[in-house]
Amino acid sequence: MNFQGKSFLTLKDFTAEEIEFFLDLASKLKIEKKSGKQKKRLQDKNIALIFEKQSLRTRCSFEVGAHDMGAQVTYINSSECHIGNEEALKDTARVLGRMFDAIEYRGFSQRNVETLAKYSKLPVWNGLTDEDHPTQVLADFLTIKEHIVKPLNKVNFVYIGDGRNNMANALMIGASKMGMNFKIITPKELFPDSNLVAECKNIAKSSGGNITISEEIYENVKNADVIYTDVWLSMGESDDLWKSRIDLLMPYQVNKKLIEACENKKVKFMHCLPAFHNKDTGIGKDIYEKFGLSAIEVTDEVFEGENSIVFDEAENRLHTIKAVMVATLGFDNI
Ligand code: CP
Ligand code: NVA
């Protein structure tokens, strides 16, 4: 196994063994960081970080991870450079390809991240697109391994909420690779793309996994090991959709009743974050004023409760993103 020079665009491109390799490497790098004995595995590498959408966790993980490994980053906010408006992405890719050693991209179409990889000829890392969020899934799987004493292929994973956003897609891809028992619980209107579901069911056939898409809530959460949700309106979607999304998804909110319906005291609550669990955000306040809701996809009680592992999950973004950078740019130094 050697990932040197390889891009990380989607987990579709990796086998279960390769995904385990990234997770093991992340654990090793996490232990090294905590023991204060990090080796600079990416000394003097230059990394471009393109962000066409907002970010806290992903950007900080790439920046801190690169710094920990001895690399430099250049943050490129698309509103302050030519990407898209004055310069075609494939031209930007060829310019960056002459200056940098690797590129991270967060933006809209999955095709953009593929174009960057094709024309820059560098390792390109997907930091989130409308369709996928593969680095988040690595952090999620590492967190599950740390908290649940079962191999991944024995884990009952329930994703509930917007069933056809980047997180639902990315988790379904990752779960099908790892042979998990994976369910997306969402109203019919938000079912994931049928081609992707067919592709994942096909992958699950050979990994021993199981993929279920259903709008039935209570019968599907019983015995869940993980309840995962995400925002009901993703970056890039119009605020005008809030009302229809709330009308559709309110029964799918993660609250105490839903957690109790799992009949598993040890069930873990996960969320990629940011989350709307109270009125302490601009959007949360706005939704409260318009719709009288003090929480959206998850109640504050669950978010802050004993089943929640969301901040361990957020920390693991750093260790897993670092593993992706090291495996594809500094493989010989592992
Ligand atoms: N989970 C995640 O990708 O967070 P950011 O949007 O803050 O990067
Ligand atoms: N589905 C969310 C994920 C954020 C990390 C979004 O795209 O906004």
Side-chain angles (χ1 to χ4, degrees):
M1 218 178 279
N2 189 331
F3 298 107
Q4 188 66 26
K6 188 166 175 168
S7 286
F8 188 85
L9 307 182
T10 170
L11 289 179
K12 285 182 196 174
D13 296 340
F14 297 91
T15 64
E17 292 68 33
E18 289 172 335
I19 293 169
E20 288 286 3
F21 177 91
F22 284 114
L23 299 178
D24 290 346
L25 178 58
S27 291
K28 173 173 148 172
L29 296 171
K30 183 173 181 175
I31 292 166
E32 278 189 16
K33 181 170 169 90
K34 289 188 190 284
S35 67
K37 288 183 195 144
Q38 294 190 106
K39 285 189 240 147
K40 304 270 183 203
R41 295 178 164 85
L42 299 175
Q43 191 72 54
D44 297 332
K45 299 291 185 192
N46 281 294
I47 296 170
L49 302 179
I50 304 175
F51 280 84
E52 296 200 270
K53 290 177 178 170
Q54 290 162 320
S55 172
L56 174 77
R57 281 143 288 269
T58 310
R59 176 180 174 182
C60 294
S61 298
F62 276 103
E63 293 211 15
V64 174
H67 182 262
D68 281 352
M69 293 291 106
Q72 287 79 242
V73 300
T74 301
Y75 177 72
I76 303 169
N77 176 338
S78 66
S79 63
E80 290 161 11
C81 79
H82 305 293
I83 293 177
N85 275 336
E86 295 103 3
E87 187 161 50
L89 197 58
K90 63 183 187 182
D91 298 350
T92 303
R94 283 175 283 185
V95 173
L96 297 178
R98 302 288 181 105
M99 297 184 186
F100 288 89
D101 299 296
I103 302 171
E104 177 278 348
Y105 172 83
R106 165 171 287 201
F108 296 91
S109 163
Q110 183 74 10
R111 199 178 301 152
N112 287 354
V113 84
E114 290 163 3
T115 300
L116 278 170
K118 181 171 175 195
Y119 288 93
S120 69
K121 303 202 187 323
L122 299 176
V124 171
W125 306 312
N126 183 352
L128 178 147
T129 60
D130 290 341
E131 292 110 304
D132 211 334
H133 197 8
T135 63
Q136 177 71 50
V137 177
L138 287 187
D140 297 339
F141 287 0
L142 178 62
T143 312
I144 290 172
K145 281 167 77 102
E146 291 172 345
H147 281 272
I148 298 177
V149 200
K150 272 186 185 182
L152 287 178
N153 64 4
K154 295 276 182 290
V155 168
N156 292 322
F157 191 116
V158 174
Y159 173 94
I160 184 162
D162 179 359
R164 44 111 204 79
N165 72 8
N166 41 19
M167 275 320 309
N169 292 345
L171 287 164
M172 181 164 58
I173 296 165
S176 65
K177 288 278 179 175
M178 304 315 287
M180 292 161 92
N181 185 24
F182 178 83
K183 295 176 181 172
I184 291 182
I185 312 300
T186 189
K188 281 235 151 52
E189 292 85 342
L190 298 175
F191 270 22
D193 175 70
S194 56
N195 292 324
L196 181 64
V197 174
E199 195 179 344
C200 290
K201 283 190 172 177
N202 203 27
I203 298 169
K205 249 188 229 160
S206 46
S207 67
N210 199 28
I211 306 290
T212 305
I213 315 295
S214 171
E215 54 181 357
E216 297 303 326
I217 303 170
Y218 288 96
E219 69 191 51
N220 278 310
V221 298
K222 197 163 172 238
N223 296 325
D225 295 303
V226 175
I227 293 287
Y228 196 116
T229 194
D230 184 16
V231 288
W232 291 351
L233 203 67
S234 285
M235 291 182 280
E237 292 193 296
S238 162
D239 282 349
D240 297 344
L241 290 170
W242 267 120
K243 183 174 177 342
S244 59
R245 217 44 81 71
I246 287 171
D247 289 346
L248 275 174
L249 285 170
M250 211 53 225
Y252 297 81
Q253 185 190 58
V254 179
N255 49 34
K256 192 166 171 237
K257 188 173 163 217
L258 186 109
I259 294 293
E260 283 172 357
C262 298
E263 297 182 20
N264 172 12
K265 280 202 162 51
K266 291 187 176 162
V267 63
K268 302 300 176 200
F269 170 69
M270 299 182 74
H271 191 309
C272 56
L273 307 183
F276 296 120
H277 57 97
N278 58 25
K279 293 179 276 176
D280 294 350
T281 61
I283 291 174
K285 194 164 163 278
D286 206 36
I287 294 290
Y288 178 70
E289 279 160 12
K290 282 199 186 112
F291 305 102
L293 299 173
S294 51
I296 309 181
E297 73 274 10
V298 54
T299 59
D300 204 41
E301 187 179 20
V302 171
F303 185 89
E304 300 289 358
E306 61 185 7
N307 302 89
S308 176
I309 53 172
V310 296
F311 294 107
D312 289 343
E313 184 185 358
E315 178 191 330
N316 281 337
R317 298 298 310 287
L318 168 63
H319 310 298
T320 44
I321 279 177
K322 196 187 280 179
V324 169
M325 292 194 287
V326 167
T328 55
L329 193 57
F331 197 88
D332 293 343
N333 301 326
I334 288 175

